[in-house]
Amino acid sequence: PSSDCVAAEQLCLSDSTCNATYRTLENCALARTRLLSLDHDSRVRCLNAELDLGNSSLLHCKCHRRMKRQEHCLRIFWTVHSSMTDGYFNLETSPYENPANEEHWKTDYNKLAALVSGKNCSQLAGDATNPCLKATHVCNLSKKCFRLRTDYASICTKVAGSEDVCDRRKCHRGLRNFFEKVPEDFTKRILFCPCQDEFCGERRRKTIVPDCSFQYNTKPNCLWLLDSCLADHICKSRLADFQQNCQPVDMSPGGCSLHSNAACLQAYMGMIGTPMTPNYVSNSSVEVSLWCTCENSGNQKEKCDQILGMFESNKCL
């Protein structure tokens, strides 16, 4: 398995040749972050530095979705692979370890679900017809799921000052915490619960408190949303992961290149809590979208439509 980038960086810095090459790449990444246009010689120097890493563990390192120093790890990854995103939004590879190689937690979801099903309390009477309600009740029986869900719900509904707006950055962080730290047995069932009526659909759509995490007063242009994402290491990484694992392919029977619905759904959940947070568009369908528009995109309309289409018309997703 690939070493994680934090460990690979430490190995590289202890070697004088690798250290010098890595420092060059840091300067290249910094210039791109500040949107400085590199002259031809600088671009060649940056590309050569990336090639000079050769078989270094840095070139092949990955990060884990649930690791403690995730942002630091992702910064290292994009430093080494900075040339991949130079003015182009189709990110070629995900910085994250293959989900199959990551440890899966053993959970007591089924035990807790049986407890909920066994109760005849009046407040649980709607569980049979509202899977989203049942998934929430099961979450409430898990200390971690209940605590982290309560945390983001309170942050995302909190009114900051007199302007009647929420703190979107804190709300996003709370959502990422929930989806990263709570086992998927709980998070997937809450987010993807199957609904037969609009009451259930509304609960599902409001899982992420869209007034704060998803919607702005007016829809921004999707290109602006993309720029915000590419300027953020976590969002850029989640987008690369989403593009890799939810890549539609017409020739494939399932419409998906990797034949892995689980990896695609996990990548979709990874987008929640980033500047490109997606959500259900209504209470009566499972269609999802970004909160953005491609109006007034000028000569970049095609690129804008591609960004929106990754979610709105993605057969794989």
Side-chain angles (χ1 to χ4, degrees):
S2 309
S3 64
D4 78 73
C5 293
V6 177
E9 182 191 47
Q10 290 173 343
L11 271 176
C12 178
L13 295 181
S14 65
D15 176 88
S16 58
T17 306
C18 187
N19 191 327
T21 304
Y22 183 60
R23 295 304 181 197
T24 300
L25 286 172
E26 280 189 317
N27 291 331
C28 298
L30 188 62
R32 287 190 173 96
T33 301
R34 292 176 177 172
L35 301 178
L36 301 175
S37 56
L38 300 174
D39 59 35
H40 175 72
D41 290 346
S42 298
R43 289 167 70 90
V44 169
R45 187 167 63 251
C46 292
L47 198 57
N48 285 340
E50 200 171 308
L51 294 171
D52 283 346
L53 285 178
N55 291 321
S56 160
S57 55
L58 259 181
L59 201 59
H60 307 287
C61 70
K62 293 281 187 178
C63 301
H64 299 281
R65 291 163 186 80
R66 301 175 189 268
M67 68 189 295
K68 286 183 179 177
R69 300 180 67 191
Q70 185 181 163
E71 285 193 58
H72 179 63
C73 185
L74 295 173
R75 181 187 63 75
I76 297 165
F77 179 89
W78 292 116
T79 294
V80 175
H81 298 282
S82 62
S83 64
M84 288 191 335
T85 58
D86 193 18
Y88 193 57
F89 88 91
N90 284 317
L91 309 173
E92 293 173 21
T93 185
S94 170
Y96 289 111
E97 185 66 84
N98 186 321
N101 296 339
E102 293 191 355
E103 290 182 24
H104 291 283
W105 297 341
K106 290 181 180 177
T107 70
D108 51 2
Y109 184 90
N110 289 334
K111 192 192 301 180
L112 296 179
L115 281 176
V116 167
S117 299
K119 288 184 179 180
N120 292 314
C121 306
S122 57
Q123 70 265 32
L124 303 187
D127 282 354
T129 56
N130 191 339
C132 293
L133 200 58
K134 179 174 181 178
T136 302
H137 286 312
V138 177
C139 172
N140 289 346
L141 292 178
S142 160
K143 286 181 182 177
K144 177 177 271 190
C145 190
F146 175 72
R147 175 173 58 81
L148 290 172
R149 183 173 167 272
T150 304
D151 281 353
Y152 85 71
S154 62
I155 295 166
C156 297
T157 52
K158 203 172 185 179
V159 176
S162 58
E163 293 183 12
D164 200 32
V165 291
C166 70
D167 189 328
R168 179 173 276 112
R169 187 180 290 271
K170 283 187 178 177
C171 174
H172 280 168
R173 193 183 306 133
L175 279 165
R176 291 201 308 272
N177 259 342
F178 176 73
F179 285 106
E180 284 175 16
K181 294 180 180 177
V182 175
E184 284 180 20
D185 275 355
F186 294 89
T187 55
K188 275 188 176 177
R189 282 174 167 88
I190 287 176
L191 191 65
F192 303 124
C193 39
C195 289
Q196 302 298 321
D197 59 64
E198 290 201 14
F199 178 72
C200 175
E202 181 180 20
R203 189 175 190 92
R204 180 174 61 191
R205 188 177 59 81
K206 289 189 173 177
T207 295
I208 66 167
V209 197
D211 287 349
C212 183
S213 68
F214 177 66
Q215 293 173 206
Y216 295 79
N217 290 332
T218 56
K219 283 189 176 183
N221 188 282
C222 299
L223 295 166
W224 177 83
L225 219 58
L226 176 69
D227 287 343
S228 301
C229 184
L230 295 181
D232 177 285
H233 280 127
I234 286 184
C235 187
K236 179 163 66 172
S237 301
R238 303 295 172 84
L239 180 60
D241 197 49
F242 179 79
Q243 288 183 321
Q244 179 174 296
N245 290 300
C246 297
Q247 189 68 251
V249 175
D250 290 334
M251 301 297 288
S252 169
C256 186
S257 63
L258 294 185
H259 311 291
S260 174
N261 294 111
C264 180
L265 292 182
Q266 185 184 53
Y268 173 86
M269 287 194 295
M271 295 300 300
I272 295 172
T274 72
M276 285 182 75
T277 294
N279 195 25
Y280 296 99
V281 295
S282 75
N283 299 339
S284 55
S285 78
V286 289
E287 287 180 41
V288 296
S289 181
L290 298 173
W291 184 261
C292 64
T293 177
C294 284
E295 290 178 20
N296 304 316
S297 296
N299 60 2
Q300 290 192 295
K301 176 78 164 58
E302 189 178 342
K303 178 179 176 181
C304 186
D305 287 338
Q306 268 187 287
I307 297 163
L308 201 50
M310 282 194 296
F311 294 87
E312 283 190 344
S313 54
N314 188 326
K315 289 179 186 176
C316 182
L317 178 63

